[in-house]
Amino acid sequence: MRLGRFQQWEFAALLAGLLLISQSLAGEKVRESVLAGSWYPENPLQLAKVVDGFLDDPSDAQSKVKKPLRALIVPHAGYMYSGPTAAKAFKLVRGMDYKRVLLLAPSHYSVFKGLSITDVVAYQTPLGSVPLDHVAVQQLRRSPLVSADAKAHKREHSIEIELPLLQRVLESGWKLVPVLVGQMDDEAYPQAAKLLRELADEQTLAVVSSDFAHYGKRFGYTPFPLNDETPANIQQLDGGAIERIVAGDAKGFLDYQQRTGITICGFRPIALLLHMLPVSAELEQLAYKTSGQLTGNYENSVSYVVIAVNVPTAIAGSQGSDRRLNSEQFKRLHQIAVAGVRRAVLDDKHEGEQLLRNLPPELERLSGAFVTLKKDGMLRGCIGYIRPRDPLFQAVLKNGGNAAVRDHRFPPVTPEELEELEIEVSVLTPPRPIAHFEAFKVGQQGIILKKQGRSAVFLPEVAVEQGWNREQALTYLARKAGLPADAWKDGAEFEVFYSEKYAAPYGPSHETAKE
């Protein structure tokens, strides 16, 4: 006899209960639900019905988000508030056969440093038991960054709230790596990212659990008064954070959080994910909602955001030339660029030799790179390589000098100008072809146009600085190539690439370089 849908769930719940009993008898620890009956229904049939209702919402437009999905940023409030928004993310992976979910979440009730994974074999929800990936957890526990803070996990909702949704969308057989992210300093982010990135293979979905701005006296955060403009102010506040996240700008996001004090409870897990991602990752905002919209009362309001992450290859398998540099590596590159400028301007071939010793391997990989010089905010020189042909440090050293004295659009930089310069280093991913110009993500990607033996290139920031849309950027690109303004519309070939940049004044970097 074939069981009906809810009969199947009754049977599954019974089996899950038996499994939990057998685990308990075996002396194994299971993290029991602390949210059932409050944050979501306790009855498994009712819970399944509620979650499926969110997932089957016919009002949702068909998403055009690019696959394969490697990561999701989702909210974690009670289902009556954030459930419909979170479901917009999870429905994108419905029926997928991921073998592992790497779930990064904030700690609301305990303060600790680094990462924490609770000492259990499974998480329990009314829909059954979710086993931990024992091998992956043991691998992480070898790092001094990882602890097992029992107090932090005891009441924490940010991991558990995502599990029933995952249980309803993923094919059975997946295992969980539940990571609470505690206090992190600048050095801890790249270290933790490297540790976690190894787990983010083709069969792993990374999920970051976070709500966004918590506005109101209840949360101790009222950066603007409660009035008719509050909804728009909240959205603008969230928008600044979302803009930096979608740009993949971990440093900019953390700086924004510190400057505004925005109460994004999962800002550390979000920043950690951004550190994990390669430059080629494409992040897209899919949904935005506030509890104020749902209740009609903005006296206390929490924001819910969904962001999807696509990476052409698995995060763990991204090419070395596609990996993001950390802040210390970029500072070192900037110092090398300064040395390159000084070598050319002061005719000193030995300037900065000490900077080229004991380089990290990330600076010795083959990579495209540009060095841009600005004076009083105006371009003063810009030269680089689009395609990898030299080790990164050499590309930056050479192009620092080239930008200073070999950019034929400008006279050579003089020694008297050095202290007035701002020097910007851009590190590029290898270009890849796109089938049509509509695939060009203006402001996020650099672009190369080729037609009739002519070519031209723009770095990603050019369109941003000029305020161009796609059509305007392509029009100016065609003109730069010496072609008619509309030459991009037919018969042209395009390649795109991503760029990370670091800019700083000449002075401080040079002082550091002399130490």
Side-chain angles (χ1 to χ4, degrees):
M1 182 179 67
R2 185 173 180 178
L3 295 176
R5 187 174 187 180
F6 292 121
Q7 288 176 314
Q8 290 175 354
W9 272 102
E10 288 177 338
F11 184 62
L14 176 61
L15 287 179
L18 293 174
L19 174 61
L20 291 173
I21 292 171
S22 66
Q23 289 174 333
S24 178
L25 291 174
E28 295 177 313
K29 298 179 183 177
V30 174
R31 200 274 193 179
E32 297 184 357
S33 172
V34 297
L35 306 182
S38 55
W39 293 60
Y40 57 64
E42 185 174 15
N43 182 284
L45 302 182
Q46 185 181 357
L47 176 56
K49 184 176 181 180
V50 167
V51 172
D52 287 346
F54 296 152
L55 295 167
D56 295 334
D57 184 354
S59 66
D60 286 349
Q62 184 68 28
S63 173
K64 296 181 180 179
V65 68
K66 202 169 181 181
K67 302 279 182 84
L69 286 177
R70 306 296 182 187
L72 296 168
I73 298 175
V74 294
H76 59 221
Y79 280 4
M80 66 178 293
Y81 293 103
S82 71
T85 305
K88 295 179 190 298
F90 289 116
K91 71 192 311 177
L92 297 174
V93 295
R94 203 172 197 176
M96 301 295 288
D97 60 349
Y98 294 104
K99 300 304 181 187
R100 176 166 54 214
V101 174
L102 174 61
L103 210 165
L104 308 179
S107 172
H108 291 83
Y109 307 110
S110 183
V111 177
F112 59 89
K113 291 184 177 181
L115 312 176
S116 176
I117 303 174
T118 188
D119 187 18
V120 298
V121 298
Y123 269 66
Q124 177 188 356
T125 82
L127 301 184
S129 178
V130 180
L132 268 61
D133 186 331
H134 175 72
V135 174
V137 170
Q138 289 302 108
Q139 177 180 328
L140 294 178
R141 288 199 189 284
R142 297 190 188 104
S143 169
L145 283 172
V146 181
S147 64
D149 189 320
K151 181 182 177 182
H153 292 269
K154 187 175 181 180
R155 297 171 52 206
E156 185 55 60
H157 60 270
S158 59
I159 291 174
E160 183 190 333
I161 196 69
E162 313 297 357
L163 299 184
L165 286 153
L166 286 163
Q167 286 174 297
R168 291 301 282 164
V169 295
L170 296 185
E171 292 292 326
S172 61
W174 62 278
K175 295 183 179 181
L176 178 68
V177 181
V179 181
L180 288 184
V181 181
Q183 294 181 331
M184 306 279 283
D185 56 28
D186 289 343
E187 293 182 359
Y189 280 112
Q191 293 171 1
K194 182 178 180 181
L195 185 68
L196 296 173
R197 189 186 295 119
E198 296 177 7
L199 300 180
D201 58 21
E202 290 278 356
Q203 295 183 309
T204 297
L205 175 69
V207 175
V208 172
S209 176
S210 179
D211 294 334
F212 274 61
H214 295 59
Y215 172 83
K217 293 182 180 179
R218 175 186 170 193
F219 307 110
Y221 185 64
T222 52
F224 35 78
L226 178 64
N227 54 35
D228 291 343
E229 297 179 357
T230 298
N233 288 335
I234 292 175
Q235 186 166 358
Q236 182 178 12
L237 179 67
D238 284 319
I242 294 168
E243 178 182 356
R244 289 158 177 79
I245 294 168
V246 170
D249 184 1
K251 182 179 184 302
F253 171 64
L254 288 171
D255 288 346
Y256 182 82
Q257 191 280 329
Q258 186 173 25
R259 175 167 54 85
T260 63
I262 185 171
T263 42
I264 299 176
C265 50
F267 77 90
R268 293 187 180 96
I270 292 172
L272 180 52
L273 174 67
L274 296 180
H275 275 86
M276 290 171 59
L277 296 177
V279 181
S280 60
E282 298 182 9
L283 295 89
E284 180 181 355
Q285 179 191 342
L286 300 183
Y288 178 82
K289 201 80 172 179
T290 65
S291 63
Q293 288 176 280
L294 300 172
T295 64
N297 183 355
Y298 280 90
E299 186 174 353
N300 294 289
S301 179
V302 181
S303 303
Y304 311 126
V305 178
V306 166
I307 296 174
V309 182
N310 161 263
V311 183
T313 59
I315 296 171
S318 300
Q319 298 177 4
S321 58
D322 198 21
R323 290 279 174 80
R324 296 183 185 275
L325 301 179
N326 62 37
S327 58
E328 290 305 313
Q329 291 163 349
F330 255 124
K331 288 177 183 177
R332 184 81 166 268
L333 273 185
H334 187 270
Q335 293 166 8
I336 292 171
V338 171
V341 171
R342 288 177 59 82
R343 284 188 179 194
V345 174
L346 303 178
D347 194 23
D348 182 355
K349 296 181 180 180
H350 302 290
E351 176 71 33
E353 283 187 346
Q354 73 278 14
L355 293 170
L356 308 182
R357 301 171 188 155
N358 302 315
L359 290 167
E362 289 83 358
L363 303 191
E364 294 184 338
R365 72 195 190 201
L366 293 179
S367 178
F370 271 70
V371 176
T372 302
L373 310 181
K374 293 182 179 179
K375 179 181 175 182
D376 298 327
M378 303 296 291
L379 184 65
R380 187 63 179 84
C382 179
I383 289 182
Y385 312 146
I386 295 293
R387 302 184 190 280
R389 73 187 205 195
D390 283 328
L392 179 54
F393 77 93
Q394 288 185 5
V396 169
L397 184 70
K398 291 179 182 178
N399 288 317
N402 291 339
V405 301
R406 293 183 179 87
D407 189 332
H408 300 301
R409 298 171 294 177
F410 306 94
V413 171
T414 66
E416 292 74 24
E417 291 180 278
L418 288 175
E419 297 290 342
E420 303 175 55
L421 295 178
E422 179 185 67
I423 299 178
E424 180 178 287
V425 177
S426 299
V427 180
L428 314 183
T429 64
R432 59 179 179 83
I434 55 175
H436 195 270
F437 60 78
E438 289 186 352
F440 166 46
K441 294 183 178 294
V442 64
Q444 297 181 38
Q445 296 172 326
I447 187 163
I448 305 167
L449 177 151
K450 294 181 181 179
K451 186 175 181 180
Q452 299 173 353
R454 296 178 178 270
S455 66
V457 61
F458 280 151
L459 295 176
E461 53 266 30
V462 173
V464 176
E465 292 171 355
Q466 299 298 324
W468 293 336
N469 59 26
R470 182 188 287 115
E471 181 174 342
Q472 291 170 321
L474 293 172
T475 297
Y476 282 103
L477 186 61
R479 289 177 176 173
K480 184 179 179 183
L483 296 166
D486 62 351
W488 54 273
K489 294 182 178 180
D490 184 52
E493 296 179 357
F494 301 95
E495 291 180 291
V496 295
F497 58 89
Y498 290 86
S499 170
E500 287 185 282
K501 67 177 183 177
Y502 181 93
Y506 163 89
S509 187
H510 172 52
E511 292 171 7
T512 305
K514 293 191 294 185
E515 292 178 357

